[in-house]
Amino acid sequence: MRIGKEVRELQYQRTVPRRLVHRAAVNEVFLTDSCAIGINRYAVAAQLPRGHELYSDRPTREHDPMLVAEVCRQASILIAHEYMGVPDDWMFISRKLVMKSLRRELFAVGERPTDVVVEIEVDHSAKTRGLPAGASMTYAVTIRGEVASTGAASVIYLSRESYDKLRAEGMAKKSLLEHDAGTDFDPVAPGDIDRSNRKNVVIGREDPRGYPICVARDHPSLFDHELDHLSGAVLLEACRQAALLHLSEMAPGFLGGPLDYSAVEFCSLEAMFTDFAELDSAVHCRVLHSSIGPERPAGGREIDVEVAIVQQDLRVSDMRIVFLLT
């Protein structure tokens, strides 16, 4: 996508209305302003906080890549409501998310919050009977004029009536499958997945089906508002934690010693969402494949981890996460 010079001076004085980003708590809104910069092109201002209960709960002094993913999610929702004609009460269903970190140093946490601009280009949009039905878009996250991260997303828009019908039909089919509430799991210590706060641990120890997802339903960020399924944010965080724990457990074999999380950098993420992960049945992160590449000319080795989200033997999501081991 083109990185425009047409972006007017965006404001960082106050957050946008909560309804435009589908959040309940004001402190969970990171966007501050937006404008159109061309045909199907938009710029959205956001501020990355220096401290956050979920996204700052790691030893590193860098902004969490999942915070950047959340900012981009909010930006895509805002432009749909503000510029693409999607009604405020419609539901959004994520189908695809791609994210690549380019300049790690730009995400350093400084002495003040980090102002960013998300430039979004809508590559394709669909309508049904004249109403918005979905869109595919690419984005670039810039900090101080430099591109720090890029990505892409695909989303479906549904009226509340259509969404309720879709969910009812899906849950009726799943009710015929074997049900497992999934209340038994071996908890993971926060330090085992590079966390400090136990409430931010969303997986349990691996069992025969994978790493169980066990997020607290009262989590102020991951369950900011009432949901009838596990959100994409929960699945992304669970897959990242499962990938890190898997690497830690495998490290003695392919590294010859324990994994040092300070030497693990996030590189990229690809996620496909094919079904809903229901709240009333066990959901697992199943690591399908992991590999470590050769030493790169610039230094470091890439670690590739493929994870499937599985519920009642149905794959509801597939993700590929790439880390750099320095």
Side-chain angles (χ1 to χ4, degrees):
M1 66 178 290
R2 295 175 296 158
I3 308 301
K5 297 181 179 179
E6 316 94 314
V7 180
R8 67 166 170 79
E9 186 174 351
L10 295 167
Q11 300 299 309
Y12 296 87
Q13 297 302 315
R14 59 185 179 185
T15 58
V16 303
R18 295 171 298 155
R19 61 178 174 80
L20 293 178
V21 294
H22 298 184
R23 302 304 273 174
V26 173
N27 69 305
E28 291 296 325
V29 179
F30 303 115
L31 309 188
T32 61
D33 197 8
S34 69
C35 67
I37 57 175
I39 298 176
N40 296 326
R41 297 179 61 231
Y42 311 91
V44 181
Q47 190 174 81
L48 307 183
R50 297 173 63 198
H52 187 274
E53 184 172 2
L54 173 64
Y55 299 119
S56 302
D57 180 36
R58 302 183 306 147
T60 179
R61 290 295 295 166
E62 296 173 358
H63 290 296
D64 192 334
M66 295 306 172
L67 170 59
V68 180
E70 172 61 17
V71 165
C72 292
R73 184 195 72 87
Q74 292 188 12
S76 68
I77 295 173
L78 181 141
I79 67 165
H81 287 314
E82 288 283 81
Y83 303 101
M84 297 171 64
V86 179
D88 286 357
D89 61 345
W90 277 32
M91 309 298 288
F92 288 48
I93 302 175
S94 295
R95 286 305 189 199
K96 178 182 179 181
L97 173 66
V98 177
M99 181 178 167
K100 185 174 183 179
S101 180
L102 301 177
R103 298 278 301 278
R104 180 185 183 188
E105 71 277 10
L106 293 176
F107 290 112
V109 177
E111 295 181 354
R112 64 182 306 275
T114 302
D115 293 341
V116 307
V117 174
V118 183
E119 294 193 34
I120 299 178
E121 184 167 357
V122 179
D123 303 311
H124 172 77
S125 60
K127 290 189 175 183
T128 300
R129 294 188 293 275
L131 295 173
S136 297
M137 57 194 72
T138 53
Y139 60 81
V141 178
T142 63
I143 299 175
R144 296 185 294 278
E146 300 289 335
V147 180
S149 178
T150 60
S154 179
V155 63
I156 295 173
Y157 311 129
L158 290 175
S159 67
R160 186 75 212 197
E161 180 182 1
S162 297
Y163 176 83
D164 289 344
K165 181 180 179 181
L166 175 69
R167 292 292 286 126
E169 292 173 350
M171 287 189 282
K173 292 178 182 178
K174 292 177 183 178
S175 67
L176 302 176
L177 302 174
E178 182 181 354
H179 181 82
D180 176 11
T183 56
D184 295 327
F185 58 86
D186 185 10
V188 173
D192 291 346
I193 51 170
D194 202 29
R195 286 287 186 177
S196 300
N197 187 344
R198 182 171 295 278
K199 195 165 189 175
N200 291 329
V201 178
V202 302
I203 62 169
R205 292 284 175 190
E206 188 174 22
D207 62 33
R209 291 174 295 176
Y211 298 94
I213 297 179
C214 47
V215 61
R217 301 283 179 85
D218 62 349
H219 194 287
S221 181
L222 295 174
F223 277 87
D224 164 77
H225 54 283
E226 185 177 357
L227 295 168
D228 65 359
H229 60 279
L230 292 179
S231 68
V234 170
L235 301 184
L236 289 171
E237 182 60 34
C239 278
R240 174 172 64 170
Q241 292 185 15
L244 289 173
L245 186 55
H246 170 78
L247 293 177
S248 177
E249 293 168 346
M250 299 296 291
F254 64 76
L255 294 180
L259 182 66
D260 179 5
Y261 282 126
S262 67
V264 179
E265 299 178 14
F266 171 86
C267 288
S268 64
L269 165 74
E270 298 176 20
M272 297 293 295
F273 304 97
T274 53
D275 204 343
F276 293 92
E278 309 296 349
L279 297 173
D280 62 350
S281 186
V283 185
H284 286 75
C285 297
R286 184 177 297 167
V287 176
L288 305 177
H289 172 78
S290 62
S291 62
I292 183 168
E295 186 79 14
R296 304 190 318 169
R301 303 165 69 186
E302 286 192 351
I303 302 176
D304 191 314
V305 186
E306 296 178 15
V307 185
I309 303 289
V310 182
Q311 184 175 49
Q312 296 175 322
D313 292 327
L314 297 176
R315 281 168 70 163
V316 300
S317 179
D318 287 275
M319 300 192 193
R320 177 173 177 254
I321 305 177
V322 178
F323 302 99
L324 178 65
L325 183 65
T326 59

